[in-house]
Amino acid sequence: MQASFEQTSWFPIMLHLEGARVLVAGGGNVAANKVQLLVPTGARVEILSPTLCPELERLVADGKAEVTRQDATVESLTARLPGCRMVYLATSNRALNAELSALCQSMNIPVCAVDAPEVSSFITPAMTTRGAVQIAVSTGGAAPVLARRLRAKIEEIMPAGLHRLAAFMQQSRLALRTRVPDSAIRRRVWEDFLDGTGGALAMAGNTQAARKELDRILDQDHARTGEVWLVGAGPGNPDLLTLAALRLMQDADSVLYDNLVGPDILNYVRRDAERVFVGKQTNNHTLPQDGINAELIRRAKAGERVLRLKGGDPFIFGRGGEEIEALMAAGVPFRIIPGISAANGCAAYAGIPLTHRDCAQACLFITGHARADGTLNLAWETIALRSQTIVIYMGLTLVAQLCARLVEHGLPADWPAAIVEGGTLPHQRVLSGTLSTLPQQVADNHITSPALIIVGQVVQHRVVSSAPA
């Protein structure tokens, strides 16, 4: 599955406004809210309105903004626009705001008509600020209340001392750049600083101790050593990523990912990390396994921290064992981060228990891959047991043959079976049937990969959650 992107017509940017002229048309509380946002940037704020609310009067009296006491019209705005960096339109007349917005856009001046994104060239996100650290949340004007709720959540988790940490890092940048010219190594130094005690010391305002911690890290060996991280991305839903996986996804220099790792998962990877698709599908391998092994080794030996991102768990039909053996033979350091397996995740989201005291005391994972001649070479005598659940990976293509073999080797034709398509994802589908009916159900409902087959009496114990997970 190649990465895709959800469409939005709004692009977030940060504007440098110090010393720039910004015009605000309107004199009420809405205009005052915008002026209050602009004042900390150092912009030259100019208000166009014959009357001002008390808050704007105070800001003007304090020298935070200037005022031209005129009605906002096409003529008065035209006279003030030359040299403006941006414009806010906050009059109480929506038709006038739309007319003035068209004027600004005709002169290529960014303009926001408050509460009218349809006629604006920019909108103001809900912002959380800790000095130089700013987080903006936008819904493209679709749901401002939702944006404010999200901002409130962010406010709760942002430490109050972040502005001190940002200031410390800014003050240290030049010296660090001189001492460590390699940008990749500098990034690792800062990551070690933030992951250790340095970040907390700087946030607390203990600059001297923070400086000592940064110097201690800098005194360590700065050789750019590579490493490979085998990380399980889970069955597809990004909510099921582990905290360890998320941390490494943000630290990796490059990521080699499979076709089962969708764009929602890849969105959590560091933006500037190189992304390499190495997905394998039946008779269509973007890069053979030997090539993947070689690429992991090559990148690690070049000093990269390589994220090998696999759907599910890397050691359950993910060929992680082969990759680890290759890394060990090449002397490349590695780490393994397990993920929620497809069997666990898909069964849980489908409401099917993999084991049950009444009917299944064991659970067996098998793969439905066929040999070159199209036949399945499996130990059917140990698989077709009534006391266990069978979970079949990659069995969609040969579902009819799989069901037939299980019946041939002892399971009843009416033995419960189910298939889970797109497990844990919003479009998940679950079909329940029997070994005799499941192949036709798959065909009739046009089931596509990825899909997982579950066979056993546990299917009869399926429950449907009353609320989405």
Side-chain angles (χ1 to χ4, degrees):
M1 182 187 297
Q2 297 284 8
S4 62
F5 303 93
E6 295 183 5
Q7 295 298 310
T8 174
S9 57
W10 299 98
F11 184 77
I13 61 173
M14 292 288 188
L15 288 177
H16 184 260
L17 293 181
E18 186 174 7
R21 288 181 59 230
V22 179
L23 184 62
V24 178
N29 290 327
V30 173
N33 290 339
K34 302 308 177 187
V35 173
Q36 288 172 330
L37 290 175
L38 292 166
V39 167
T41 69
R44 291 170 49 200
V45 182
E46 301 177 14
I47 304 168
L48 180 61
S49 179
T51 59
L52 303 181
C53 69
E55 181 61 19
L56 284 180
E57 291 283 12
R58 183 186 67 79
L59 290 169
V60 170
D62 290 344
K64 304 296 185 182
E66 304 171 11
V67 61
T68 299
R69 295 185 183 272
Q70 289 182 294
D71 284 321
T73 64
V74 170
E75 292 75 18
S76 63
L77 194 68
T78 300
R80 306 299 304 167
L81 282 179
C84 274
R85 179 69 56 81
M86 56 187 281
V87 176
Y88 273 107
L89 302 174
T91 78
S92 58
N93 187 328
R94 293 180 66 88
L96 175 62
N97 286 345
E99 184 179 9
L100 298 180
S101 178
L103 171 65
C104 294
Q105 293 186 61
S106 72
M107 300 176 65
N108 289 323
I109 297 175
V111 58
C112 174
V114 179
D115 289 333
E118 66 279 1
V119 299
S120 302
S121 63
F122 80 89
I123 55 178
T124 306
M127 293 185 291
T128 296
T129 302
R130 299 287 189 272
V133 180
Q134 295 178 298
I135 297 179
V137 178
S138 172
T139 61
V145 174
L146 174 60
R148 289 197 294 270
R149 286 291 179 90
L150 292 173
R151 182 192 64 187
K153 293 292 185 183
I154 293 170
E155 288 275 10
E156 294 175 3
I157 63 174
M158 286 184 70
L162 274 179
H163 66 288
R164 289 189 285 267
L165 173 58
F168 175 87
M169 295 178 72
Q170 182 181 33
Q171 293 161 6
S172 305
R173 286 184 66 188
L174 180 58
L176 188 59
R177 187 182 297 116
T178 302
R179 189 167 172 181
V180 186
D182 189 316
S183 61
I185 295 178
R186 283 201 308 274
R187 184 169 60 242
R188 297 187 189 189
V189 168
W190 280 127
E191 287 169 355
D192 289 344
F193 178 82
L194 293 173
D195 291 339
T197 60
L201 291 169
M203 279 194 288
N206 195 341
T207 304
Q208 185 176 0
R211 182 76 56 195
K212 287 182 178 179
E213 175 61 14
L214 182 58
D215 288 339
R216 184 191 68 78
I217 295 171
L218 287 168
D219 288 338
Q220 296 174 352
D221 184 9
H222 292 161
R224 188 179 173 188
T225 56
E227 188 176 9
V228 174
W229 304 327
L230 259 71
V231 174
N237 189 320
D239 287 345
L240 300 181
L241 286 166
T242 66
L243 294 176
L246 284 170
R247 185 175 67 252
L248 295 183
M249 290 166 76
Q250 284 294 305
D251 289 346
D253 300 310
S254 59
V255 53
L256 276 64
Y257 67 98
D258 293 338
N259 59 296
L260 294 179
V261 178
D264 289 343
I265 298 287
L266 288 175
N267 282 339
Y268 288 90
V269 174
R270 202 179 81 209
R271 292 294 181 188
D272 58 344
E274 183 181 358
R275 302 180 183 196
V276 182
F277 177 66
V278 293
K280 296 190 290 291
Q281 295 176 320
T282 304
N283 301 320
N284 181 22
H285 292 190
T286 302
L287 192 65
Q289 187 61 51
D290 287 346
I292 295 174
N293 296 347
E295 186 66 6
L296 292 173
I297 293 167
R298 183 189 70 80
R299 288 177 176 272
K301 288 193 171 181
E304 294 183 23
R305 294 171 301 179
V306 188
L307 176 70
R308 179 67 176 103
L309 197 58
K310 295 171 171 286
D313 182 272
F315 281 1
I316 299 181
F317 303 124
R319 305 190 74 169
E322 299 171 48
E323 292 173 358
I324 291 300
E325 289 171 353
L327 295 172
M328 292 178 65
V332 173
F334 61 87
R335 273 190 269 177
I336 303 166
I337 304 298
I340 293 177
S341 71
N344 288 338
C346 296
Y349 270 60
I352 300 174
L354 290 179
T355 61
H356 195 286
R357 184 175 61 179
D358 294 340
C359 58
Q361 290 73 49
C363 181
L364 180 66
F365 298 169
I366 66 173
T367 175
H369 264 320
R371 295 188 300 186
D373 61 2
T375 61
L376 290 164
N377 183 25
L378 297 172
W380 297 108
E381 294 76 11
T382 62
I383 295 173
L385 302 178
R386 301 190 184 204
S387 61
Q388 67 184 6
T389 302
I390 308 165
V391 179
I392 306 172
Y393 285 69
M394 298 166 282
L396 181 61
T397 303
L398 298 177
V399 60
Q401 187 180 157
L402 284 162
C403 291
R405 294 293 176 272
L406 289 171
V407 172
E408 287 176 11
H409 289 83
L411 290 181
D414 62 355
W415 197 246
I419 190 162
V420 184
E421 177 193 56
T424 77
L425 298 175
H427 60 269
Q428 170 182 291
R429 286 196 293 170
V430 182
L431 300 179
S432 297
T434 66
L435 290 176
S436 63
T437 65
L438 192 65
Q440 192 60 49
Q441 288 176 281
V442 168
D444 291 345
N445 289 275
H446 307 289
I447 298 297
T448 59
S449 182
L452 197 75
I453 301 169
I454 302 174
V455 178
Q457 286 186 307
V458 292
V459 172
Q460 294 180 322
H461 290 271
R462 182 189 175 206
V463 294
V464 180
S465 175
S466 59

